[in-house]
Amino acid sequence: MSGVAAEFGNVRIDGARLWDSLMEMAQIGATPKGGCKRLTLTDLDKQGRELFTRWCEEAGCTVSVDRMGNMFARRPGVDDSLPPVMLGSHLDTQPTGGKFDGVLGVLGALEVVRTLKDLNIRTKHPIEVANWTNEEGSRFAPAMVSSGVFAGEYTEEFAYSRVDAEGKTLGDELRRIGFQGDLPVGGRPIHAFFELHIEQGPILEDENLDIGVVTHGQGQRWYEITLTGFESHAGSTPMPVRKDALLGAARVVELVNRIGLANAPNAVATVGMLNPYPNSRNVIPGQVWMTIDFRCPDDAVLAGMDKALHEGVAAICAAIGLEQETKQIFYYPPVAFEESCVKAVRDAAAKLGYTHRNIVSGAGHDACYIARVAPTAMIFTPCVDGISHNETEDIKPEWATAGANVLLQAALSKAEIVS
């Protein structure tokens, strides 16, 4: 370690300032139960983006926006021609989301550049704080679509054409709130990318650990299924001749649960949305639309789950006399994060005296796409009772501080302190 690097080897972020920023951002879209509803590309998302922009500019950064609305706040490097060390996550939330999912990673990264400004620390590489558009996928499916465009998984045209429940497109809403920028999406080098995030699971809290060193991200498959039967009168249609789409859907829900249990403990399987039609109390449902989410860190197991789903849905529909359409709308294989970046996180946690362990991410993250185009790793903090995607989601201030401190040290190890 150089003398300059050693001098700043134990530098820490301002935990109180980070917490205050988290609480202020949480007021935009605050819910009565203490959570946050700031869906992507809504007016509330625009407010959050504008506050983030102001804070970044006050920290000495220049903010640019690409054609997908991804935001990049750049702190220049001594050699500004070098590729940046990028830090970040997302500011959008679930409809009944919490105050920390994604937001901790963005504002923790902002706190890193604020700290560097406070201490007048200069780095060889520039540092960029990223806010990725539509990570959650709750308004526009699939999730992580904008980091996916950045990584070359999707085209801009595909992303722009995504439609929400009201028929509004992602592209139109991006333009409406004024955040369709001019910067090309992707196609530029990144020296390293680090994403700080709450665990969204119970392991770290249960084991009383400060930091999760994320080594892998789970593979995912998302499906949309339409089951079609025949709607008819609930009182006068005999049971043996019914073509009840909701009965088929109920059996698919049970099938999905069986598939998950058969591949436990590493695999999980969920039916998250189910919409029957015509949704009338005295009409046998003639059609049901539903979603399925499979996840597993083993791609071969994930492929086996896919096969079991298709075979099972076909058998269920044949038995009841239903037609079905099963579409896989989203897939990415398990991700192994880059070894030197993972080591930078582990070394930072050890140097700062934080207890830590290796961990696999159970959720999808923008980092999983960025890992395709840049050396990438993630940092997890505990969350209370492992709860996330819920208004009661919570973390302790000291957990946020520890995560941001590790993020700072990992970033400096890659950005290289000059003075």
Side-chain angles (χ1 to χ4, degrees), residues 5 24 56 121 127-128 147 177 182 263 266 288 293 355 370:
E24 185 172 346
C56 290
I121 296 174
I127 294 177
E128 291 188 354
S147 57
I177 70 166
D182 298 323
N263 293 282
N266 292 327
V288 174
D293 180 325
T355 55
I370 303 307

Side-chain angles (χ1 to χ4, degrees), residues 26-38 44 93-99 390-392:
Q27 293 307 304
I28 302 175
T31 64
K33 294 182 180 179
C36 202
K37 181 181 180 180
R38 195 170 49 247
L44 290 172
T93 76
Q94 289 285 331
T96 53
K99 298 188 286 285
N390 187 296
E391 291 167 275
T392 63

Side-chain angles (χ1 to χ4, degrees), residues 50-65:
E50 289 172 344
L51 178 59
F52 172 64
T53 299
R54 175 167 65 82
W55 281 341
C56 290
E57 290 174 344
E58 289 172 353
C61 296
T62 301
V63 180
S64 60
V65 183

Side-chain angles (χ1 to χ4, degrees), residues 22 52 75 81 98 119 181-182 252 291 295 337 371 387 397 412:
L22 288 165
F52 172 64
R75 185 178 194 265
S81 67
L119 300 176
D182 298 323
V252 171
T291 67
R295 307 187 188 207
F337 290 120
I387 294 172
L412 289 177

Side-chain angles (χ1 to χ4, degrees), residues 1 9 33 40 43 104 192 200 223 259 271 347 352 354 359 371:
M1 181 183 293
K33 294 182 180 179
T40 193
D43 290 341
L104 175 63
Q200 302 181 283
Y223 306 86
I259 292 171
V271 173
D347 289 350
L352 295 170
Y354 294 128
I359 196 167

Side-chain angles (χ1 to χ4, degrees), residues 310-325:
H310 282 88
E311 291 177 350
V313 170
I316 288 167
C317 290
I320 305 176
L322 305 178
E323 297 178 359
Q324 61 98 1
E325 181 183 32

Side-chain angles (χ1 to χ4, degrees), residues 33-259:
K33 294 182 180 179
C36 202
K37 181 181 180 180
R38 195 170 49 247
L39 299 181
T40 193
L41 306 184
T42 58
D43 290 341
L44 290 172
D45 185 28
K46 178 181 180 180
Q47 291 180 40
R49 287 166 174 264
E50 289 172 344
L51 178 59
F52 172 64
T53 299
R54 175 167 65 82
W55 281 341
C56 290
E57 290 174 344
E58 289 172 353
C61 296
T62 301
V63 180
S64 60
V65 183
D66 72 15
R67 292 194 297 260
M68 283 303 304
N70 299 317
M71 302 174 67
F72 305 98
R74 186 179 181 94
R75 185 178 194 265
V78 172
D79 184 348
D80 211 40
S81 67
L82 292 174
V85 172
M86 190 179 288
L87 321 171
S89 192
H90 61 96
L91 292 175
D92 67 316
T93 76
Q94 289 285 331
T96 53
K99 298 188 286 285
F100 306 100
D101 174 2
V103 186
L104 175 63
V106 176
L107 299 187
L110 170 63
E111 182 55 36
V112 167
V113 297
R114 283 172 164 172
T115 300
L116 299 182
K117 181 176 184 290
D118 290 346
L119 300 176
N120 196 28
I121 296 174
R122 297 192 303 160
T123 57
K124 182 178 178 181
H125 288 258
I127 294 177
E128 291 188 354
V129 179
N131 170 38
W132 302 102
T133 299
N134 190 54
E135 191 275 348
E136 291 291 1
S138 56
R139 185 181 180 196
F140 299 103
M144 295 99 72
V145 69
S146 297
S147 57
V149 175
F150 191 96
E153 175 68 16
Y154 306 116
T155 65
E156 290 178 32
E157 291 72 22
F158 171 84
Y160 291 156
S161 70
R162 299 305 87 201
V163 179
D164 70 3
E166 297 178 352
K168 298 176 181 178
T169 69
L170 185 151
D172 285 345
E173 289 295 273
L174 191 60
R175 288 182 283 272
R176 183 188 67 81
I177 70 166
F179 273 89
Q180 184 182 39
D182 298 323
L183 192 70
V185 186
R188 61 192 179 97
I190 299 171
H191 187 57
F193 177 73
F194 294 100
E195 181 170 2
L196 170 65
H197 209 280
I198 62 172
E199 180 194 347
Q200 302 181 283
I203 295 173
L204 295 176
E205 186 186 34
D206 285 351
E207 297 184 7
N208 196 29
L209 297 173
D210 303 313
I211 296 293
V213 181
V214 186
T215 60
H216 294 76
Q218 289 203 102
Q220 295 188 40
R221 291 180 185 260
W222 283 11
Y223 306 86
E224 292 180 351
I225 296 181
T226 302
L227 305 179
T228 304
F230 189 81
E231 58 260 25
S232 56
H233 198 289
S236 56
T237 307
M239 296 297 292
V241 301
R242 296 182 177 204
K243 294 184 178 181
D244 187 340
L246 188 56
L247 174 61
R251 292 180 179 177
V252 171
V253 172
E254 201 278 331
L255 167 70
V256 168
N257 191 63
R258 267 202 327 270
I259 292 171

